[in-house]
Amino acid sequence: MKKETRIICLDKKQSLSTAAGIIQAGGVIAFPTDTVYGIGASAFDHTAIEKLYRAKERSQEKAIPILAADLSGLVGITPLPGEMVLSLMEKFWPGALTLILPLLPGLPANLSQTKTIGVRIPDHDFTRELLRQTGPLAATSANLSGQESALTADEVLINLGGKVDLILDGGISPGGVASTVLDCTKAEPLILRTGPVTLEEILTVFHS
């Protein structure tokens, strides 16, 4: 039996507290970001992360990235960054660059089957405020696996209606393209997914 999915506009007074309450209760929500709509659950709740996988019909072989409000939100998730990674964070965050970094032990095992995790600080004021209230979220694009990313709340509802507890309607996502993914765990950084942040922009950090 499908659950009822609520939709709340971001400009409603109760939107932030309602969303935070659902996360804290182990629920799953969809929300706009600076890139595309995301689906998220607490990064520290194994059962909630399982719900996220089921809602998205995502293989557990694929790790779930983490969104944080700021650098302090990554404490306990990934080790302190080295100079080059810190330079990337300072240049591109908040923004559309996901960094693959080492994953510290002690987090839910279903976040990642490897010892690495994707992390990002989104350039979206409401979402960062939500993250300040909830703590880091395990979050990925709000669509069924293999389908196009959702750019509006209506598109999320079509794909995930009845599978998530809440959809936060923030209009059309301004970016429209999923973030660039850069693996920083190897000797040489490697782009795993092209996106808004280009290779040329990334290289300016390494050649500065």
Side-chain angles (χ1 to χ4, degrees):
M1 181 177 178
K2 285 190 174 183
K3 67 181 76 178
E4 180 182 354
T5 297
R6 298 176 61 188
I7 300 179
I8 300 179
C9 291
L10 297 195
D11 58 5
K12 297 294 184 183
K13 185 177 181 180
Q14 76 275 22
S15 60
L16 193 60
S17 60
T18 299
I22 289 172
I23 291 294
Q24 290 158 3
V28 178
I29 65 171
F31 51 91
T33 74
D34 52 329
T35 56
V36 298
Y37 270 72
I39 177 178
S42 171
F44 306 107
D45 187 330
H46 185 281
T47 302
I49 295 168
E50 284 292 327
K51 293 177 185 177
L52 191 156
Y53 273 108
R54 289 197 299 271
K56 190 176 167 72
E57 299 177 12
R58 182 182 179 92
S59 168
Q60 294 212 5
E61 294 179 356
K62 296 181 178 180
I64 300 288
I66 291 178
L67 293 182
D70 48 42
L71 288 178
S72 67
L74 298 179
V75 174
I77 292 172
T78 188
L80 290 174
E83 183 178 346
M84 193 57 65
V85 171
L86 185 59
S87 296
L88 288 166
M89 292 174 172
E90 290 174 344
K91 181 174 179 63
F92 296 109
W93 285 358
L97 180 65
T98 296
L99 301 177
I100 306 297
L101 300 175
L103 177 63
L104 288 171
L107 291 163
N110 55 353
L111 267 177
S112 175
Q113 292 191 359
T114 70
K115 295 182 179 180
T116 65
I117 195 72
V119 295
R120 186 168 85 88
I121 296 175
D123 189 11
H124 193 284
D125 290 342
F126 179 93
T127 300
R128 285 205 309 280
E129 182 56 38
L130 175 65
L131 290 162
R132 289 185 190 100
Q133 295 201 21
T134 63
L137 294 181
T140 181
S141 56
N143 54 276
L144 296 176
S145 288
Q147 297 191 2
E148 292 293 321
S149 299
L151 305 183
T152 67
D154 285 342
E155 291 177 4
V156 177
L157 185 63
I158 290 170
N159 280 289
L160 300 176
K163 295 186 173 187
V164 298
D165 299 289
L166 176 71
I167 299 172
L168 292 163
D169 187 350
I172 299 174
S173 285
V177 179
S179 64
T180 300
V181 177
L182 183 69
D183 188 345
C184 297
T185 65
K186 305 292 193 299
E188 294 290 333
L190 175 67
I191 289 182
L192 302 183
R193 182 176 72 196
T194 58
V197 178
T198 66
L199 175 62
E200 290 73 21
E201 290 173 310
I202 291 168
L203 289 176
T204 62
V205 174
F206 293 91
H207 296 158
S208 60

